Amino acid sequence: RLGYTASPSASRLAGGKTRTVAVVVPRITRWFFSTVVEAVEGRLHAAGYDLLLFNLGGSENARQRLLYTGNLHKRVDALMLVATPLAESDFTAVIELALPGVTVSSGTPVPGWPSVRIDDVAAARTATAHLLALGHRRIAHISGDPGDELAFTTHIDRRRGYRDALVACGIRPDPAMDADATFTISGGSAATAQLLTRGEPPTAIFAACDEMAMGAISTLRQHGLRVPEDVSVIGVDDHDVSAVVGLTTVAQPAAEQGRMAAEALLGPLAEDLDDERRGRAPAAPERVILPTRLVVRASTASPRAH
């Protein structure tokens, strides 16, 4: 009659559980991270858990505050790191949290934690091999900024796959065909503008993500170059807008990575373990590598005869 409602947070703490999972992302505004988080949230909510989002905003200081200032203490039951690399000195802080955890996408494997990701090297090889098969030999690559505060590894792996594919085709990688930029549309645009100042333009560009590829297409057109008649462009992701702009890409299952990562946490979080499972030595953490696939659209074609 008084309209009293029990506090959910107090009830959970009284039971020793918060029924909340912390999810850490570098930048929530990027397509991949937001897609993963949406999928994670849907699966957790279906299981009766809440999601506590920590958006680092690309800041190393934010990552340090999260790990070393007790922000997670008694607030969450588990931790998910999405493309968040760790320094060797961080492992102790993460392990001392004594929380089940999982890593998603590239980053640093945490001892005892499962992981869900794609093979970024293989994805880049697939993209570059597609351009090579079309007959391109002057293939440029635009990728992530190695000076990023959070020290991502995705761009390193995708650059390695690009170079591996060239070498396998007998082509020596040309540093003039390689430009650094952030994983954004504006970053791809700026990197492409750099490439166009380095003499003869490439006949094809492999961008490390679809957003960079979209920026590349915009800059090429601003310089009077047609896509794909003059320059072919391919990305990685299969962004929601990629089909609309006709972008050839290597599709990765972003939402599926999120769902599988959530599933990997829900097992250890189960409150009632049967007698057979109780006391059994924990199984080795599962390392899941999901497949990617080439999606050919209108942005790639054979090079025009000069």
Side-chain angles (χ1 to χ4, degrees):
R1 288 197 305 270
L2 295 174
Y4 170 77
T5 302
S7 165
S9 59
S11 298
R12 292 171 180 179
L13 286 175
K17 296 289 184 181
T18 67
R19 297 196 69 82
T20 302
V21 173
V23 178
V24 183
V25 298
R27 291 183 183 275
I28 192 59
T29 54
R30 305 286 166 80
W31 172 85
F32 175 79
F33 304 132
S34 61
T35 302
V36 169
V37 168
E38 183 177 27
V40 171
E41 186 173 36
R43 184 63 193 92
L44 291 178
H45 280 183
Y49 284 84
D50 291 331
L51 182 150
L52 181 59
L53 178 66
F54 289 90
N55 175 31
L56 301 181
S59 168
E60 171 61 14
N61 286 336
R63 191 181 70 88
Q64 293 290 317
R65 286 198 304 271
L66 176 66
L67 294 178
Y68 293 101
T69 60
N71 274 331
L72 299 174
H73 183 60
K74 293 187 178 181
R75 295 181 68 186
V76 298
D77 297 333
L79 175 61
M80 181 183 297
L81 300 177
V82 182
T84 303
L86 298 175
E88 189 173 342
S89 57
D90 296 330
F91 285 132
T92 300
V94 171
I95 292 171
E96 285 180 349
L97 291 171
L99 296 172
V102 63
T103 62
V104 184
S105 185
S106 62
T108 310
V110 176
W113 284 18
S115 63
V116 182
R117 64 183 181 89
I118 65 167
D119 185 335
D120 286 296
V121 176
R125 279 199 299 260
T126 297
T128 310
H130 169 66
L131 298 173
L132 290 166
L134 290 172
H136 294 279
R137 293 300 179 264
R138 283 184 58 78
I139 302 173
H141 178 52
I142 55 178
S143 190
D145 181 0
D148 190 280
E149 283 188 31
L150 293 176
F152 291 123
T153 60
T154 301
H155 70 280
I156 297 173
D157 291 339
R158 293 182 185 175
R159 180 175 281 117
R160 177 150 54 97
Y162 155 76
R163 291 176 177 171
D164 287 351
L166 293 181
V167 171
C169 197
I171 300 172
R172 184 176 180 178
D174 181 0
M177 291 286 97
D178 206 334
D180 290 328
T182 57
F183 271 47
T184 61
I185 292 176
S186 60
S189 179
T192 303
Q194 289 181 34
L195 291 171
L196 295 178
T197 66
R198 299 177 183 175
E200 183 182 354
T203 64
I205 295 175
F206 163 44
C209 76
D210 283 0
E211 287 161 296
M212 298 179 85
M214 294 174 197
I217 290 173
S218 175
T219 294
L220 290 169
R221 288 174 175 165
Q222 289 172 15
H223 284 75
L225 295 169
R226 297 170 298 166
V227 178
E229 292 86 354
D230 299 317
V231 183
S232 288
V233 178
I234 188 171
V236 175
D237 277 339
D238 204 18
H239 188 289
D240 293 341
V241 182
S242 295
V244 177
V245 300
L247 176 65
T248 297
T249 187
V250 177
Q252 67 163 319
E256 183 63 17
Q257 290 179 67
R259 284 190 290 269
M260 293 190 70
E263 289 288 351
L265 288 180
L266 290 174
L269 288 174
E271 294 180 355
D272 298 317
L273 298 178
D274 56 45
D275 292 337
E276 182 182 354
R277 292 172 61 195
R278 198 188 311 275
R280 180 188 298 176
E286 187 175 10
R287 311 288 189 188
V288 177
I289 300 178
L290 295 177
T292 56
R293 61 187 176 88
L294 177 66
V295 180
V296 180
R297 298 191 178 105
S299 68
T300 53
S302 298
R304 185 182 66 176
H306 292 282

